[in-house]
Amino acid sequence: MKFLRFVFAALLAGGHPFAALAQSDDQTTGSLSVELNTTQDTGTACRLTFVINNMTGTAIDEAVFETVIFNGDGSVVSLSLFDFRDLPADRPRVRQFDLPGMTCAAVGQALINGSSSCVVEGAESDLCHNALVLSSRVNVELLG
């Protein structure tokens, strides 16, 4: 009988790490992940490449974000609308935007200031704002 209690206790204790893994998987579900993946100088512009994963379970017909670019000193250099276009559910997309007249070394931070337009099923939605998760793989910080 003691052996069965030990086995049952071990199973319960061992189940907790799996529960934690399941919870972390749930945290990615429901997100609209925007990652600044690369920056590249292209002639007279800095090209920003973003990888977007729409894990909300809902297709986004149109996503436009107001984006502010800061230089290395923290001064605002530009304010633009980045049109990420359509973002199908559960499929990654790559979008590129050029910053004319700038080198990538001059870019300090990028701020997603909010969604200018987020259309889901033909109507404006808060989904792009509410589900947004930002990250950066480069030395330019992506803020939101």
Side-chain angles (χ1 to χ4, degrees), residues 35-63:
E35 174 191 80
L36 179 54
N37 187 270
T38 62
T39 59
Q40 178 185 10
D41 288 312
T42 59
T44 61
C46 174
R47 177 167 292 154
L48 306 178
T49 301
F50 293 88
V51 176
I52 306 96
N53 282 299
N54 177 3
M55 301 304 291
T56 64
T58 303
I60 298 171
D61 304 327
E62 175 184 307

Side-chain angles (χ1 to χ4, degrees), residues 84-102:
F84 286 85
R85 303 187 319 260
D86 62 306
L87 301 171
D90 304 321
R91 296 186 61 197
R93 287 292 181 255
V94 175
R95 303 289 189 246
Q96 294 181 320
F97 303 96
D98 287 351
L99 304 173
M102 288 190 74

Side-chain angles (χ1 to χ4, degrees), residues 24-37:
S24 66
D25 285 344
D26 288 343
Q27 291 173 356
T28 59
T29 302
S31 68
L32 177 61
S33 169
V34 177
E35 174 191 80
L36 179 54
N37 187 270

Side-chain angles (χ1 to χ4, degrees), residues 107-123:
V107 178
Q109 296 175 320
L111 168 67
I112 303 294
N113 211 28
S115 61
S116 173
S117 178
C118 182
V119 178
V120 175
E121 295 181 358

